Coordinates of all heavy atoms in Angstrom, one line a residue:
H93 N 5.1 18.7 41.2 CA 4.6 19.6 42.2 C 3.2 20.1 41.9 O 2.3 20.1 42.8 CB 5.6 20.9 42.2 CG 5.4 21.8 43.4 ND1 4.4 22.7 43.5 CD2 6.1 21.9 44.6 CE1 4.5 23.4 44.6 NE2 5.5 22.9 45.3
L94 N 2.9 20.5 40.7 CA 1.6 20.9 40.3 C 0.6 19.8 40.3 O -0.6 19.9 40.7 CB 1.6 21.5 38.9 CG 2.4 22.8 38.7 CD1 2.5 23.2 37.3 CD2 1.8 23.9 39.6
T95 N 1.0 18.5 40.0 CA 0.1 17.4 40.0 C -0.3 17.1 41.5 O -1.5 16.8 41.7 CB 0.8 16.1 39.5 OG1 1.2 16.4 38.1 CG2 -0.1 14.9 39.5
L96 N 0.6 17.2 42.4 CA 0.2 16.9 43.8 C -0.8 18.0 44.3 O -1.7 17.7 45.1 CB 1.5 16.9 44.7 CG 2.5 15.8 44.4 CD1 3.7 15.9 45.3 CD2 1.8 14.4 44.6
I97 N -0.6 19.2 43.9 CA -1.5 20.3 44.3 C -2.9 20.0 43.8 O -3.9 20.1 44.5 CB -1.0 21.6 43.9 CG1 0.3 22.0 44.6 CG2 -2.1 22.7 44.1 CD1 0.9 23.3 44.1
F98 N -3.0 19.6 42.5 CA -4.2 19.3 41.8 C -4.9 18.1 42.5 O -6.2 18.1 42.8 CB -4.0 19.0 40.4 CG -5.2 18.5 39.7 CD1 -6.2 19.4 39.3 CD2 -5.4 17.1 39.4 CE1 -7.4 18.9 38.6 CE2 -6.5 16.6 38.8 CZ -7.5 17.5 38.4
M99 N -4.1 17.1 42.9 CA -4.7 15.9 43.6 C -5.4 16.3 44.9 O -6.4 15.8 45.3 CB -3.6 14.9 43.8 CG -3.2 14.1 42.5 SD -1.8 13.0 42.8 CE -2.4 12.0 44.1
S100 N -4.7 17.2 45.7 CA -5.2 17.6 47.0 C -6.5 18.3 46.8 O -7.5 18.1 47.5 CB -4.2 18.5 47.7 OG -3.0 17.8 48.0
F101 N -6.6 19.2 45.8 CA -7.9 20.0 45.6 C -9.0 19.0 45.1 O -10.1 19.1 45.5 CB -7.7 21.1 44.5 CG -7.2 22.3 45.1 CD1 -5.8 22.7 45.0 CD2 -8.0 23.2 45.7 CE1 -5.4 23.9 45.5 CE2 -7.6 24.4 46.3 CZ -6.2 24.7 46.2
A102 N -8.6 18.0 44.3 CA -9.6 17.0 43.8 C -10.1 16.2 45.0 O -11.4 16.0 45.1 CB -8.9 16.1 42.8
I103 N -9.3 15.7 45.9 CA -9.7 14.9 47.0 C -10.6 15.8 47.9 O -11.7 15.3 48.4 CB -8.5 14.4 47.8 CG1 -7.7 13.4 47.0 CG2 -8.9 13.9 49.2 CD1 -8.5 12.1 46.7
C104 N -10.2 17.1 48.1 CA -11.1 17.9 49.0 C -12.4 18.2 48.3 O -13.5 18.1 49.0 CB -10.3 19.3 49.2 SG -11.2 20.4 50.3
A105 N -12.5 18.4 47.0 CA -13.7 18.6 46.3 C -14.6 17.3 46.4 O -15.8 17.5 46.6 CB -13.4 18.9 44.8
L106 N -14.0 16.1 46.3 CA -14.8 14.9 46.4 C -15.4 14.8 47.8 O -16.6 14.3 47.9 CB -14.0 13.7 46.0 CG -13.6 13.6 44.5 CD1 -12.5 12.5 44.4 CD2 -14.8 13.2 43.7
A107 N -14.6 15.1 48.8 CA -15.1 15.0 50.2 C -16.2 16.0 50.4 O -17.1 15.7 51.3 CB -13.9 15.3 51.2
M108 N -16.3 17.1 49.7 CA -17.4 18.1 49.9 C -18.7 17.6 49.3 O -19.7 18.2 49.6 CB -17.0 19.4 49.3 CG -15.8 20.1 49.9 SD -16.0 20.5 51.7 CE -14.7 19.4 52.4
T109 N -18.7 16.5 48.5 CA -19.9 16.0 47.9 C -20.7 15.1 48.9 O -21.8 14.7 48.5 CB -19.6 15.2 46.7 OG1 -18.8 14.0 47.0 CG2 -18.8 16.0 45.7
V110 N -20.2 14.8 50.1 CA -20.9 14.0 51.0 C -22.2 14.7 51.4 O -22.3 15.9 51.7 CB -20.0 13.8 52.3 CG1 -20.9 13.1 53.4 CG2 -18.8 13.0 52.0

Side-chain angles (χ1 to χ4, degrees):
H93 193 278
L94 294 175
T95 299
L96 295 177
I97 294 175
F98 173 78
M99 287 173 56
S100 295
F101 275 103
I103 291 295
C104 183
L106 289 170
M108 296 302 113
T109 65
V110 174

